[in-house]
DNA sequence: ACCCAGGCATTGG
DNA sequence: CCAATGCATGGG
C-alpha cells in the first residue's frame, strides 16, 4: 500500500462542497461517491488497480485549490497524473461557469438558484458505461428506489478496497455485469427488462474495441444516434449520458418528469407542458441547458424549489 | 388495493 | 410530432 499526494486547481468560481455534494445527491454517500466532513472520496479504477482518492478543499470559491491524496497501488508519477486527471474530470474542475451565469442573469427565477448555488460545477461519471447503467437504473422509478438499486449493484459487482475499517467500491466493470445472469440481477431489484438492458450495455462496452467509450469526438447528435441503438436507451437516457459522461453543456432531457414539473412550477404557474413545449422553452438557456437543469435539480433536491 | 415515480418500445393517429 | 398502452417494482 502506497500513498501519494497532489493538488488540483479548478477553474473559479468553484464551490467544492456543492460540487461534491451534487455527486452524492446531497446525501453523504451515493454509490461509489461519498462526502464526509469536507472530504470527498472515490475509489478509482486505474486499469485494474484500485486507488482511493480523498479530496478536500484548501482554497476558496474564487481561488479554488484541492488537496488530493491517493491510497493504493500507486507506483509511478504517471499513475498519479492519471489519477489526478480523473479526479479533476469527476468534479468538473475545468468547467467555465461564467458564460452560463451571464445567460442566467436574464432569467430572474434561474438567477435566484445560481446565486444560491454559486460555484457549483457539474460532476461527471468516470465512463460512458457507468453513465448508461446508472441512467437505466434511474428510469421511471422514485429517486429513493433508484438509489437503493444503484447502491446494491455497485456493492455486489464493483471492485472493492477496504482501508482503515472502511469499505470502498468502484463502479462495476462491464465483464462483471455481463458475468451476472438476469436472475442474479433481478435479486438486486432490477426488473427483467432492466436486467436485460444492463447486460446488453455491458456486452456493447466489451465489444468492438471500446466503441462505447470512444464518443468524445462526436457531436451531440451523433452520440444520440449511436447510444439510442442500444436497447433500453431512449432520448432521456441519451441526454443523461451526454451531460454526465461527456460533459456536453447543452444536452437536455426534455422528457424528464421532475424537470417538467420544476419548469412548469417556476415558469408556468403549474400548467402542464408537453416535451415539445419544454424543449422550446429551454432554448433561452442554450448552449448551457445542462447547467440550468443541474441547478434546477439542485434546488429541488435541497428543498429550495 | 391503488397510484405514482427524474422511461422505454411499440403502435396508431 | 403527440398520445395511449403494456411493462415493472418499491414507496406512500
Amino acid at each position: 500500500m502506497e500513498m501519494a499526494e497532489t493538488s488540483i486547481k479548478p477553474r473559479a468560481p468553484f464551490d467544492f462542497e456543492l460540487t461534491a455534494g451534487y455527486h452524492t445527491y446531497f446525501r453523504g454517500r451515493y454509490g461509489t461517491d461519498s462526502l464526509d466532513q469536507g472530504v470527498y472520496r472515490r475509489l478509482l479504477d486505474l486499469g485494474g488497480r484500485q486507488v482511493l482518492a480523498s479530496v478536500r478543499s484548501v482554497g476558496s470559491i474564487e481561488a479554488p485549490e484541492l488537496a488530493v491524496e491517493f491510497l493504493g497501488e500507486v507506483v509511478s508519477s504517471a499513475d498519479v497524473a492519471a489519477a489526478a486527471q480523473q479526479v479533476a474530470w469527476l468534479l468538473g474542475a475545468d468547467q467555465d461557469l461564467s458564460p452560463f451565469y451571464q445567460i442566467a442573469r436574464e432569467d430572474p427565477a434561474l438567477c435566484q438558484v445560481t446565486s444560491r448555488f454559486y460555484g457549483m460545477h457539474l460532476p461527471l461519471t468516470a465512463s460512458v458505461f457507468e453513465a448508461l447503467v446508472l441512467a437505466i437504473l434511474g428510469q421511471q422509478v422514485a429517486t429513493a428506489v433508484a438509489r437503493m438499486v444503484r447502491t446494491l449493484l455497485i456493492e455486489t459487482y464493483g471492485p472493492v478496497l477496504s482501508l482503515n475499517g472502511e469499505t470502498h467500491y468502484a463502479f462495476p466493470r462491464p465483464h462483471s455485469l455481463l458475468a451476472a445472469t438476469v436472475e442474479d440481477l433481478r435479486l438486486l431489484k432490477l426488473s427483467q427488462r432492466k436486467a436485460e438492458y444492463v447486460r446488453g450495455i455491458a456486452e456493447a462496452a466489451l465489444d468492438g474495441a471500446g466503441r462505447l467509450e470512444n464518443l468524445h469526438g462526436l457531436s451531440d447528435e451523433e452520440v444520440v444516434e449511436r447510444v439510442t441503438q442500444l436497447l433500453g436507451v431512449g432520448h432521456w437516457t441519451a441526454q443523461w449520458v451526454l451531460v454526465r459522461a461527456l460533459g456536453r453543456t447543452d444536452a437536455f432531457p426534455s422528457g424528464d418528469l421532475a424537470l417538467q414539473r420544476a419548469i412548469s412550477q417556476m415558469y408556468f404557474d403549474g400548467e402542464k407542458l408537453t416535451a415539445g413545449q419544454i424543449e422550446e422553452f429551454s432554448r433561452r438557456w442554450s448552449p448551457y441547458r445542462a447547467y440550468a437543469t443541474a441547478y434546477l435539480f439542485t434546488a429541488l433536491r435541497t428543498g429550495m424549489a
Side-chain angles (χ1 to χ4, degrees):
Chain A
M1 193 59 53
E2 299 173 49
M3 188 180 129
E5 287 177 330
T6 188
S7 98
I8 292 173
K9 289 192 177 173
R11 187 191 284 258
F14 180 87
D15 187 316
F16 171 70
E17 287 273 341
L18 273 176
T19 303
Y22 192 90
H23 233 328
T24 62
Y25 289 64
F26 301 101
R27 292 186 155 277
R29 183 166 118 72
Y30 194 110
T32 53
D33 300 84
S34 74
L35 176 61
D36 182 38
Q37 307 204 346
V39 181
Y40 166 75
R41 288 195 178 81
R42 163 130 186 173
L43 187 58
L44 308 178
D45 190 349
L46 290 184
R49 286 167 303 141
Q50 278 81 54
V51 176
L52 179 68
S54 300
V55 187
R56 63 199 164 80
S57 171
V58 291
S60 62
I61 292 178
E62 294 303 343
E65 183 169 352
L66 306 175
V68 190
E69 181 188 290
F70 299 115
L71 273 176
E73 303 167 60
V74 185
V75 269
S76 65
S77 58
D79 284 337
V80 175
Q85 195 165 19
Q86 200 171 119
V87 169
W89 172 262
L90 289 169
L91 292 172
D94 295 334
Q95 292 162 7
D96 183 6
L97 298 175
S98 47
F100 165 60
Y101 286 161
Q102 291 276 12
I103 286 174
R105 225 170 279 165
E106 314 286 315
D107 182 335
L110 180 62
C111 198
Q112 204 176 345
V113 182
T114 54
S115 304
R116 167 68 181 76
F117 301 110
Y118 178 74
M120 186 184 78
H121 287 222
L122 184 50
L124 304 171
T125 63
S127 68
V128 172
F129 173 69
E130 177 182 334
L132 278 168
V133 173
L134 290 176
I136 298 271
L137 299 188
Q139 288 170 0
Q140 178 57 29
V141 294
T143 53
V145 176
R147 178 171 184 238
M148 181 195 63
V149 178
R150 286 167 173 171
T151 301
L152 268 174
L153 186 89
I154 289 164
E155 296 188 351
T156 305
Y157 293 105
V160 185
L161 184 66
S162 287
L163 280 178
N164 308 324
E166 277 196 65
T167 307
H168 305 274
Y169 300 90
F171 197 78
R173 302 188 186 120
H175 76 80
S176 303
L177 296 186
L178 192 56
T181 65
V182 168
E183 292 71 33
D184 291 337
L185 295 175
R186 290 193 54 114
L187 292 176
L188 308 184
K189 308 299 183 186
L190 276 79
S191 64
Q192 175 78 23
R193 271 190 187 174
K194 287 188 181 180
E196 292 166 3
Y197 292 163
V198 164
R199 291 191 76 258
I201 286 163
E203 198 169 10
L206 292 170
D207 179 49
R211 239 180 341 167
L212 203 52
E213 298 302 334
N214 210 11
L215 302 175
H216 288 269
L218 304 182
S219 70
D220 288 5
E221 293 74 19
E222 287 168 330
V223 173
V224 170
E225 167 80 18
R226 189 82 65 93
V227 298
T228 51
Q229 301 291 317
L230 298 163
L231 219 50
V233 179
H235 178 262
W236 180 87
T237 302
Q239 297 299 314
W240 211 83
V241 166
L242 281 172
V243 176
R244 296 306 303 269
L246 303 175
R248 302 298 169 87
T249 66
D250 202 36
F252 185 72
S254 57
D256 189 289
L257 268 184
L259 179 60
Q260 289 184 359
R261 266 204 313 273
I263 291 177
S264 149
Q265 268 176 39
M266 287 178 64
Y267 298 94
F268 295 94
D269 205 27
E271 181 193 341
K272 289 224 183 285
L273 304 169
T274 68
Q277 289 171 304
I278 296 276
E279 186 81 31
E280 187 184 340
F281 177 78
S282 74
R283 282 190 215 136
R284 60 167 56 199
W285 300 325
S286 215
Y288 295 97
R289 298 187 298 174
Y291 290 174
T293 303
Y295 276 77
L296 291 187
F297 279 156
T298 302
L300 285 177
R301 278 180 208 156
T302 59
M304 175 180 165

